[in-house]
Amino acid sequence: MSIEEKIFRDPIYGYISIPETYCKDFIDTAIFQRLRRIEQTSMRVLYPSAHHDRFAHSIGVFYLGKLAFSYLEKNSKSLFQDAISDAEWQQYKNTFEIACLMHDCGHSPFSHTFEHYYLFQREPEIEHRLSCFFEKYTNFINEYRLYAPAPHEKISGLLLLEEYFGKIESNHASPQLAARMIMGVKYDGVLNFKQKFENKLISLLNGAGIDVDSLDYIQRDSWISGVGNVNIDYQRLLSSIMIKLDDNENCQIVFKKKVLSVIDNISIGRNFLYKWIYSHHKVIYEQLLLENIIEKINSNSDFCKKVFSIDSFTNSKEFQGHFYLLPTDDDIIHTIKQYIHEDEKITELLSRNYKYKALWKTYFEFNESYFRDVSDINRMKIFNHIQNGALSEEFGSNNILSIKATPKLKNINENDFFIEIDNKLIDASKATSIPSKNLSYFIVYVSEELRPYKDQIIKKMLSLQS
């Protein structure tokens, strides 16, 4: 029997077919539709046309996940025909596709900027609510703590279980495994074959190596910004994916040797975004403005506790006469505007007429011109001294500030996945030379009147390492 599908037009992948049941049970729900009003990144301060949301990203991850699993099954099924039945393959497929589709459903307004508020004074409660769905597997909480999912992953996993459990089962999928995939919580300890196999599916959505989540945002963020930094042949990459057993009978994600250049491009593309866009001095300054404004609003109220709450996804929360249900970026901006006469930072944010300017704008300038001979330890020592007011007496406490700008550079780590060469599995960490070390980096901003004193300020900074 053919499956009825709906078609979505995507600027990167073309036409994406999604089963009507997924549309009815997941996409056409208020929780998922909310993602249309959650910005994917904070890069529009750099690229005015970079207006894209978590909704489009989630559809893209579904597409890549569907493609990846179809090739994985095609390339691996014969290897496990005695261990995994056709019905189990189908359940794994459905589970993986649903997890890909719903992986960001719990993202907060402004995505990563405010997601930590969801766990504020609620970590034990979130942990308990999750554990209720894993009572048959008593080691789950230990694994959950071991893998330490990001706040939005915890909320997404819990929302999936609490709001979509029956719908997932009706689609012949496993709610618990889908939640594990979203949160990146693998099985730990002495494992049977099925658990080893499922761990690889978990890492294919949320893993340290190549996963379909990062594969979409690397391409989407690059395309929408217009930087065109790298070309990733995702079709060629995913067509070669498989799961094989290594010499120790452990399951490993394996790619054929023909995709080595694609793997290298993924590392280059991701690190380009983190180094030149996500940690750009204007991007992190605007994020700091947002954080400071919300902190001030929250300082004498319970705004964050009410609005940044998993319960606000299903029940409206009242704050000073306003009601918040399924909060989005727009709700936060509307709230901020109510305080425009109480905080000058709000006018600065809304006008983009920034009070502070960066003394240096790139890591290269920071490293080569000023801090080449300063160790990583001393760089952070200088940063901490500035944070504690070491420059305030000489230059004025309201004229200078510093922000960490350490880009999360990523390499392929040992045992992330493997390359098959002449029927041997070769660790893929040997396939790329991209440095994995995070840069010890920060940016100092000063008010306009201090700009002429740049050399004196930097000289003073360097003296703080002693």
Side-chain angles (χ1 to χ4, degrees):
M1 185 175 66
S2 62
I3 298 175
E4 294 294 328
E5 295 184 324
K6 289 189 175 181
I7 307 297
F8 292 73
R9 186 70 167 93
D10 185 84
I12 298 174
Y13 310 121
Y15 291 105
I16 297 175
S17 299
I18 301 181
E20 279 195 354
T21 55
Y22 288 2
C23 294
K24 177 177 176 291
D25 291 340
F26 305 106
I27 295 176
D28 295 339
T29 63
I31 287 174
F32 194 88
Q33 290 295 318
R34 165 185 171 271
L35 298 178
R36 292 181 184 273
R37 295 176 295 281
I38 304 290
E39 285 276 354
Q40 173 73 8
T41 69
S42 53
M43 61 202 291
R44 287 185 73 193
V45 67
L46 291 179
Y47 304 103
S49 297
H51 178 54
H52 61 317
D53 50 49
R54 293 279 161 184
F55 182 96
H57 166 64
S58 297
I59 298 295
V61 174
F62 167 83
Y63 170 76
L64 292 177
K66 180 180 180 181
L67 194 65
F69 193 93
S70 67
Y71 280 118
L72 186 147
E73 182 178 7
K74 177 183 177 181
N75 296 334
S76 308
K77 194 170 184 177
S78 62
L79 303 176
F80 304 113
Q81 56 187 348
D82 295 329
I84 303 175
S85 68
D86 288 347
E88 287 172 323
W89 275 107
Q90 186 63 47
Q91 185 182 51
Y92 282 142
K93 174 181 180 293
N94 297 347
T95 302
F96 188 70
E97 288 179 353
I98 291 170
C100 288
L101 186 63
M102 300 298 289
H103 80 285
D104 270 353
C105 66
H107 247 301
S108 75
F110 289 96
S111 294
H112 299 293
T113 304
F114 296 127
E115 65 174 313
H116 61 284
Y117 283 121
Y118 278 122
L119 304 181
F120 182 62
Q121 298 179 346
R122 291 191 192 89
E123 186 76 68
E125 176 198 345
I126 300 298
E127 188 173 287
H128 171 71
R129 287 166 68 170
L130 276 167
S131 67
C132 292
F133 292 91
F134 293 89
E135 291 178 350
K136 294 181 181 179
Y137 192 77
T138 56
N139 201 38
F140 170 76
I141 289 301
N142 291 332
E143 293 162 346
Y144 170 84
R145 292 170 179 169
L146 173 66
Y147 287 99
H152 77 274
E153 294 169 349
K154 296 176 183 180
I155 301 303
S156 296
L158 184 53
L159 273 177
L160 189 82
L161 293 168
E162 291 189 337
E163 301 300 324
Y164 296 92
F165 194 95
K167 292 179 178 180
I168 296 170
E169 288 193 321
S170 69
N171 281 278
H172 308 291
S174 167
Q176 287 88 349
L177 180 56
R180 281 182 177 272
M181 290 172 174
I182 287 172
M183 295 186 291
V185 176
K186 299 178 184 177
Y187 300 98
D188 189 50
V190 179
L191 308 181
N192 59 40
F193 169 78
K194 291 286 178 58
Q195 290 169 328
K196 293 177 181 179
F197 185 86
E198 289 170 11
N199 274 352
K200 293 304 154 183
L201 297 181
I202 292 169
S203 67
L204 190 56
L205 173 57
N206 185 347
I210 291 176
D211 59 51
V212 291
D213 179 21
S214 59
L215 190 57
D216 180 79
Y217 76 67
I218 291 169
Q219 295 179 92
R220 193 169 299 277
D221 292 359
S222 298
W223 178 85
I224 200 71
S225 66
V227 295
N229 58 304
V230 70
N231 177 53
I232 296 174
D233 192 343
Y234 68 91
Q235 290 272 6
R236 182 177 176 85
L237 174 77
L238 297 180
S239 70
S240 77
I241 193 172
M242 67 189 94
I243 291 180
K244 300 189 76 171
L245 296 177
D246 63 17
D247 293 339
N248 297 316
E249 296 298 306
N250 290 316
C251 292
Q252 302 292 356
I253 289 181
V254 179
F255 292 93
K256 297 175 183 177
K257 63 181 180 181
K258 67 180 183 179
V259 300
L260 280 170
S261 61
V262 184
I263 291 170
D264 210 30
N265 273 355
I266 291 171
S267 295
I268 294 169
R270 184 191 184 280
N271 289 343
F272 179 95
L273 290 170
Y274 274 91
K275 187 175 181 181
W276 297 107
I277 297 178
Y278 303 154
S279 60
H280 188 278
H281 63 95
K282 288 187 177 178
V283 171
I284 62 174
Y285 182 78
E286 185 169 269
Q287 287 177 320
L288 181 69
L289 274 178
L290 267 172
E291 291 170 6
N292 287 346
I293 290 166
I294 292 300
E295 279 289 342
K296 187 171 182 179
I297 293 172
N298 189 60
S299 60
N300 296 312
S301 68
D302 57 357
F303 174 76
C304 290
K305 187 175 182 180
K306 286 188 174 182
V307 176
F308 298 104
S309 163
I310 186 173
D311 298 321
S312 69
F313 284 84
T314 52
N315 298 292
S316 61
K317 298 295 178 181
E318 189 273 335
F319 176 76
Q320 296 185 359
H322 295 278
F323 291 87
Y324 295 82
L325 176 66
L326 298 162
T328 64
D329 296 3
D330 297 336
D331 293 303
I332 303 306
I333 292 297
H334 173 78
T335 301
I336 286 173
K337 288 179 179 179
Q338 309 312 303
Y339 294 85
I340 192 166
H341 300 300
E342 300 178 24
D343 189 347
E344 62 182 13
K345 288 188 178 69
I346 297 176
T347 299
E348 186 180 355
L349 174 71
L350 297 178
S351 67
R352 199 174 172 241
N353 183 18
Y354 294 153
K355 177 181 177 180
Y356 296 96
K357 307 293 182 182
L359 283 184
W360 49 82
K361 298 183 178 182
T362 66
Y363 175 79
F364 182 83
E365 185 181 355
F366 167 88
N367 189 60
E368 296 300 320
S369 297
Y370 312 119
F371 289 83
R372 172 191 283 274
D373 299 322
V374 180
S375 67
D376 288 352
I377 292 176
N378 282 341
R379 289 179 180 189
M380 288 302 100
K381 185 185 293 185
I382 292 170
F383 173 80
N384 291 331
H385 281 314
I386 297 171
Q387 290 288 82
N388 292 328
L391 303 179
S392 297
E393 183 175 348
E394 188 170 345
F395 300 105
S397 59
N398 293 322
N399 292 322
I400 193 164
L401 62 88
S402 59
I403 311 175
K404 273 188 180 179
T406 304
K408 296 187 295 184
L409 299 188
K410 185 177 183 180
N411 203 346
I412 298 166
N413 298 317
E414 188 175 354
N415 293 321
D416 280 349
F417 59 92
F418 292 78
I419 306 296
E420 184 182 53
I421 301 177
D422 297 331
N423 294 319
K424 296 180 181 179
L425 302 188
I426 309 298
D427 197 303
S429 62
K430 301 174 183 178
T432 177
S433 58
I434 304 298
S436 60
K437 178 186 176 184
N438 282 333
L439 308 176
S440 298
Y441 179 38
F442 60 89
I443 299 175
V444 169
Y445 300 78
V446 298
S447 57
E448 193 64 37
E449 57 264 36
L450 285 187
R451 293 287 293 171
Y453 303 98
K454 177 178 178 177
D455 291 341
Q456 294 96 308
I457 294 171
I458 292 173
K459 183 177 180 180
K460 178 67 175 180
M461 285 183 210
L462 293 172
S463 72
L464 297 175
Q465 63 183 301
S466 57

